[in-house]
Amino acid sequence: MNYLLSEIAHIVGGEHRGADVRVRSIATDSRSVVSAEEIAFAAIDGKNHDGHQFIERMVARGVEAFIVEREVELPNKRCGVVVVESTLGALQRLATYHREQFKGRVVAITGSNGKTIVKEWASRSMPESVHSFASPKSYNSQLGVALSLLMLEGSEEVAFIEAGISHPGEMERLERMIQPEIVVVTSIGDAHSANFISEAEKIDEKLLLAKGATTIIYSSEYPTLAKRIKELYSDRELIDSSVESEDYELELSDALSVDALHVSALMRRLGYGVDEAIFSAKVSMRLELKEGIDNSMIIDDSYNSDINSVVVALDALHLQSMGRRRVAVVSDIRQSGMTNEALYSRIADAVRRAGVDYFIGVGENISSCASLFPRNSAFYHSTDELIENFSRERWADSVILLKGSRDSRFERVTRLLERRTHTTTLEVDLSAMKKNLNYFRLHLPQHHPIVAMVKAGSYGTGDVEVARMLQHEGVKYLAVAFADEGVLLRSKGITMPIVVLNADQDSFDVMIAHDLEPEIYSFHSLDAFRRAAHHVQRENYPIHIKLDTGMHRLGFVEDDIDLLGRALHHDHTLRIATIFSHLSSADMPEEDKFTEGQIERFDYMSAQLIEWLDYTPLRHIANSAAILRFPFAAFEMCRLGLGLYGYGFEHNDALIPVATLSTRIVQIKSLAKGESVGYGRSAKLESERVIATIPVGYADGLDRHLGNGRWSVKVAGKSAPIIGRVCMDSAMIDITGIEGVEVGDKVTIFSAERGNTLEDMAKVLDTITYEIMTSISSRVKRIYTER
């Protein structure tokens, strides 16, 4: 895009004030902007954040153009603003106008599942000689689609735009912006069903995307969807990818066959061939965060590279660095449609804006443009050359972005940089966690403060990466169980307030040294912490008062309130930040009367305590279940625990389980009838079976009681029961009848898939999801993904 602010005002129906600044890109997240040449900051007043609060910060970073929803004072003569009724609406109108100027072909991709993989496969199938565009990652929302369209430069021949909805009424706005020529409808399923009264309503909403299209690609594997497409759009070119595929030979796994056939049909319709190698390559649909050597962290985005995705990845590098050294490794970029000098000038500018401390370019083309990049850069003509010159010192204490095209084979660099090499991994979907957070926020007043529970390594999912995401998302407090957990977060750059729930006297000095805030639940702990704070001459140190309203674990009881009020009245050493209590049965409808009694008792006790103070602390008692079931218990803040991770609400389709535990097969054996498997010959075979060994056992968190057929893992999308006893470091699974399984194939132990979830496993073990999650060993490698 390339507009003056006055032109933007005219296009969107806003009022232009101040300087007429040129704008080439839009930023909506203040935290992703380091420096800003020709960037407009669009301040959105959303449910969780008000972007107008960060305008001053953006001016300090050099931003001169703003799109705002209310009058703001211009800080200097260089700045200009466009005042609109709705910033999001203005961006959508600007995107619609920008799309109308585009002369290339536009393909829109929607569906319940498979949108991103179809988009990625299609864009990678394009010939290198053809300049094409694909919306970055999962930019498929009302805002994401607008930002994607505004990235179009105009010289592209084909644009692939992903479109996702979660509520009725959204697709009409997306269609107005995208105006696609071809629409691919990948699937219809349970995803995002919570806000639709029926599958039919969801199908009709999705198909609004095709109302102006000439071609619709779908699969009769989804008969209800196929029937409705034929009813609504019989006058269009309809391509059933499953039927058309009968004339083509395509070797695919069952899990990916429908998506691959969609891509094959789409590429033929566009007039291009399909490289089947695309379908067997890993598709990095999300950024992956991994622990690296020498206290480093890796952002792995190494299977796709175009100019827009590089800019998005550099933004992620900036956001994840938290003050640490930033290293970016970027390969040659294919299909840009630009000269090398023009392309890598853009990349070099993006590297500077992201504040990269050390840049590494890999490839013949980028190396030929070395002079364009900052002085602190290095260049290699190939990945092999980079590996030959690998040096551990270069990577220490850094956040490292690996951004490469598929043929760069950066996975070899990733293996060198990763700290853990255990085959078993726990993949944590930070994007799903954000969606869960925002789902609970929908049930709260606008900008309502939240305490997020990250104790026990964020319930086993990992501490620092989750905390960084929550800090970025504007959560008010983090809560840990012990001081050591809080100290670790501080050492990794977490600056937001952290509450220590099990604060003991021996840790008070350490807590004060790291600005950690204690839960105070007794007069003994109150006096001890006051002495510790007074000793180092701290004043108004924030504390969190715990009240016992009926759970009888920790906390002041009702008879303590007057004495507690006197003890804190006009206290200049300590200051109550929050008053809170714990509900014991908020998720149990049969105990609702007791829960309501706890809430009433908390309201009364906290009000009595506040009467002794000349200020008003925040109050919170509502946990994840109470946020949904007892809205009157929101008070001034709420506490989000297991629900943040997508668990504890088995029949709530709006919540997404964030963790997937997986490993790979290390050996396969065909065993005859009468053979036995495992310790104690606990499994004696009654027929010939095919047995695979996986390198995960009870030392990794795979409970010993899951053996002998009590739990089945997933191999190639099919169930494979654990056979014999679970060993300390390995287990055996029965893969008889599962076609084409080989050593190295992925095995999913638990996931978000029905029948394979943590809730399902908890039922087998007669326990709760908390116990399973927190039992995953620290030796299991955590990988964090983000769309």
Side-chain angles (χ1 to χ4, degrees), residues 718-732:
K718 298 181 179 179
S719 295
I722 297 174
I723 186 168
R725 296 177 185 171
V726 174
C727 310
M728 180 181 289
D729 309 301
S730 60
M732 286 67 73

Side-chain angles (χ1 to χ4, degrees), residues 97 110 142 166 225 240 285-286 293 310 317 336 340 362 375 434 452 485 525 558-559 610 629 680 702 748 758 764 784:
Y97 175 85
T110 192
Q142 297 292 307
S166 54
L225 173 64
D240 182 347
M285 294 178 289
R286 299 167 290 184
I293 59 174
V310 169
L317 174 63
S336 73
N340 281 345
V362 180
R375 181 178 302 174
K434 289 179 189 178
E485 296 175 315
S525 63
E558 192 169 339
D559 290 343
I610 290 172
R629 302 192 64 243
L702 183 65
T748 304
L758 269 179
V764 170
Y784 301 89

Side-chain angles (χ1 to χ4, degrees), residues 454-456 479-483 485 499-503:
V454 294
K455 62 181 181 177
V480 298
F482 299 104
E485 296 175 315
V499 182
V500 180
L501 298 176
N502 289 32

Side-chain angles (χ1 to χ4, degrees), residues 618-644:
L618 300 176
R619 298 179 297 169
H620 58 102
I621 190 172
N623 55 10
S624 301
I627 291 172
L628 303 183
R629 302 192 64 243
F630 300 96
F632 61 88
F635 290 94
E636 295 81 37
M637 189 158 67
C638 290
R639 197 168 55 250
L640 189 54
L642 195 62
L644 176 66

Side-chain angles (χ1 to χ4, degrees), residues 562-779:
D562 282 346
L563 182 57
L564 179 61
R566 292 189 182 95
L568 291 167
H569 185 53
H570 296 316
D571 188 327
H572 297 295
T573 302
L574 306 178
R575 182 180 180 88
I576 303 176
T578 75
I579 304 169
F580 72 107
S581 187
H582 203 103
L583 296 173
S584 67
S585 313
D587 58 342
M588 302 171 62
E590 66 271 22
E591 296 291 349
D592 280 358
K593 186 175 181 180
F594 180 81
T595 301
E596 290 166 359
Q598 278 197 272
I599 296 167
E600 291 175 8
R601 194 173 301 118
F602 173 71
D603 192 14
Y604 173 77
M605 292 172 64
S606 59
Q608 291 293 104
L609 178 56
I610 290 172
E611 285 186 7
W612 286 94
L613 308 175
D614 57 4
Y615 57 92
T616 305
L618 300 176
R619 298 179 297 169
H620 58 102
I621 190 172
N623 55 10
S624 301
I627 291 172
L628 303 183
R629 302 192 64 243
F630 300 96
F632 61 88
F635 290 94
E636 295 81 37
M637 189 158 67
C638 290
R639 197 168 55 250
L640 189 54
L642 195 62
L644 176 66
Y645 306 93
Y647 302 108
F649 300 85
E650 188 176 357
H651 302 295
N652 190 329
D653 291 336
L655 291 174
I656 309 169
V658 304
T660 298
L661 183 65
S662 63
T663 188
R664 295 194 178 275
I665 292 172
V666 294
Q667 190 173 32
I668 297 174
K669 296 178 179 178
S670 295
L671 300 180
K673 177 182 177 180
E675 296 280 7
S676 58
V677 178
Y679 282 116
R681 302 191 68 202
S682 54
K684 297 178 181 178
L685 304 182
E686 297 180 357
S687 62
E688 186 177 310
R689 312 300 293 173
V690 180
I691 306 299
T693 301
I694 53 177
V696 56
Y698 56 78
D700 300 295
L702 183 65
D703 196 288
R704 194 167 177 269
H705 297 91
L706 294 172
N708 292 313
R710 296 193 70 199
W711 182 251
S712 293
V713 299
K714 293 287 185 178
V715 179
K718 298 181 179 179
S719 295
I722 297 174
I723 186 168
R725 296 177 185 171
V726 174
C727 310
M728 180 181 289
D729 309 301
S730 60
M732 286 67 73
I733 58 175
D734 188 344
I735 60 171
T736 307
I738 304 178
E739 298 282 334
V741 181
E742 298 178 354
V743 170
D745 283 359
K746 183 177 180 178
V747 176
T748 304
I749 298 161
F750 64 72
S751 66
E753 184 182 344
R754 289 183 179 177
N756 187 236
T757 67
L758 269 179
E759 279 90 355
D760 297 320
M761 185 180 284
K763 289 176 183 176
V764 170
L765 293 171
D766 192 24
T767 185
I768 56 176
T769 52
Y770 291 86
E771 181 179 358
I772 302 172
M773 289 178 66
T774 56
S775 297
I776 305 300
S777 170
S778 60
R779 77 181 187 181

Side-chain angles (χ1 to χ4, degrees), residues 290-311:
K290 305 173 182 178
E291 287 187 73
I293 59 174
D294 296 337
N295 196 36
S296 67
M297 185 176 76
I298 306 162
I299 304 175
D300 187 358
D301 192 18
S302 58
Y303 290 87
N304 184 27
S305 188
D306 59 65
I307 188 165
N308 292 297
S309 67
V310 169
V311 172

Side-chain angles (χ1 to χ4, degrees), residues 433-495:
M433 200 177 294
K434 289 179 189 178
K435 290 178 181 177
N436 294 338
L437 171 64
N438 289 327
Y439 170 76
F440 283 97
R441 280 174 160 166
L442 285 173
H443 291 79
L444 296 171
Q446 189 172 27
H447 303 152
H448 197 73
I450 287 177
V451 184
M453 307 299 293
V454 294
K455 62 181 181 177
S458 300
Y459 297 175
T461 63
D463 36 42
V464 177
E465 287 75 14
V466 172
R468 284 196 186 101
M469 181 275 292
L470 293 169
Q471 179 168 281
H472 179 266
E473 290 300 304
V475 168
K476 188 170 184 63
Y477 286 95
L478 299 179
V480 298
F482 299 104
D484 289 348
E485 296 175 315
V487 171
L488 173 63
L489 294 180
R490 287 283 186 252
S491 72
K492 299 294 185 180
I494 301 301
T495 58

Side-chain angles (χ1 to χ4, degrees), residues 3 29 75 100 118 188 219 239 284 307 317 323 339 346 348 438-439 504 545 555 647 676 695 726 737 756 775:
Y3 300 101
D29 188 338
E100 288 170 349
V118 167
I188 194 70
S219 173
I239 299 176
S284 180
I307 188 165
L317 174 63
T339 65
R346 294 271 301 277
N438 289 327
Y439 170 76
D504 61 88
I545 296 295
Y647 302 108
S676 58
V726 174
N756 187 236
S775 297

